[in-house]
Amino acid sequence: MKKICVFPGSFNPVTAGHINIIKKASALFDEVIVAVTDNKNKKYRVDANMRRNILEKAISDFKNVKAVAFDGLTADFCVKSNANYIVRGIRTYQDFENEKMLMTVNKKLKGIETLFFITDSEYAHISSSMVREILDNGGDINGIVPDSVVNEIYSLYLKN
């Protein structure tokens, strides 16, 4: 049986930390679906399809990884995608506490297991909100977002 996982998130924008988690998941699973969604509690400058397009370029070196935009519950998306696992990256204790609640809900709703990957220490300080803050203040995002999408992120996030 093919081992498929979903790595959900807003990826607003994708960071080097996200790629670190994708790399770890791609080594363990036959297929990794990076699922781009909109959190209804967040405001976005770039729509989910544009974020998916950026992600596709950032993950192009991974043969068993694809990016998909979706709406709805992650657990439902997993069932529709034949995925038995959700992958989540953990940077901090607070991340773990938040993700633990979601893990329980997804398990109860659809029986989907959640696996936590600890972000490597050189990426633990990176978040999408930090990248947006740097962009808003004219800073340099090289090294904190994938090299292959630096220009797209500058272009899309600075004009919106």
Side-chain angles (χ1 to χ4, degrees):
M1 179 159 117
K2 195 171 180 184
K3 289 188 297 183
I4 302 171
C5 74
V6 169
F7 179 31
S10 56
F11 304 98
N12 185 36
V14 61
T15 69
H18 292 131
I19 299 302
N20 178 243
I21 299 303
I22 291 166
K23 182 178 180 181
K24 291 176 183 209
S26 72
L28 295 176
F29 288 93
D30 298 314
E31 183 178 349
V32 177
I33 303 168
V34 183
V36 182
T37 190
D38 287 333
N39 179 329
K40 305 301 182 214
N41 298 319
K42 294 182 181 179
K43 191 173 176 182
Y44 295 95
R45 299 179 202 178
V46 179
D47 70 34
N49 283 319
M50 289 300 293
R51 295 192 314 272
R52 178 191 45 82
N53 290 343
I54 293 169
L55 253 167
E56 283 179 344
K57 187 170 184 181
I59 62 173
S60 63
D61 289 341
F62 297 98
K63 302 303 176 217
N64 62 334
V65 179
K66 67 180 180 180
V68 175
F70 83 101
D71 278 324
L73 295 173
T74 300
D76 289 337
F77 179 77
C78 288
V79 170
K80 193 184 313 184
S81 302
N82 296 315
N84 292 321
Y85 301 94
I86 295 171
V87 165
R88 298 300 295 166
I90 302 291
R91 294 171 297 142
T92 65
Y93 176 73
Q94 290 84 9
D95 283 351
F96 175 74
E97 286 300 317
N98 293 332
E99 295 299 339
K100 187 171 77 169
M101 287 185 285
L102 292 173
M103 172 191 75
T104 303
V105 170
N106 289 317
K107 179 74 172 175
K108 192 165 218 63
L109 284 174
K110 301 290 180 175
I112 307 294
E113 293 288 347
T114 300
L115 302 175
F116 298 127
F117 288 85
I118 306 296
T119 306
D120 288 349
S121 60
E122 64 261 35
Y123 306 109
H125 66 287
I126 301 171
S127 68
S128 293
S129 58
M130 182 190 74
V131 172
R132 292 190 310 274
E133 177 91 12
I134 291 168
L135 287 167
D136 289 346
N137 289 288
D140 182 4
I141 61 170
N142 283 287
I144 59 173
V145 302
D147 293 341
S148 59
V149 295
V150 168
N151 292 334
E152 284 87 352
I153 290 172
Y154 274 123
S155 174
L156 287 170
Y157 281 80
L158 289 179
K159 75 176 183 181
N160 289 315

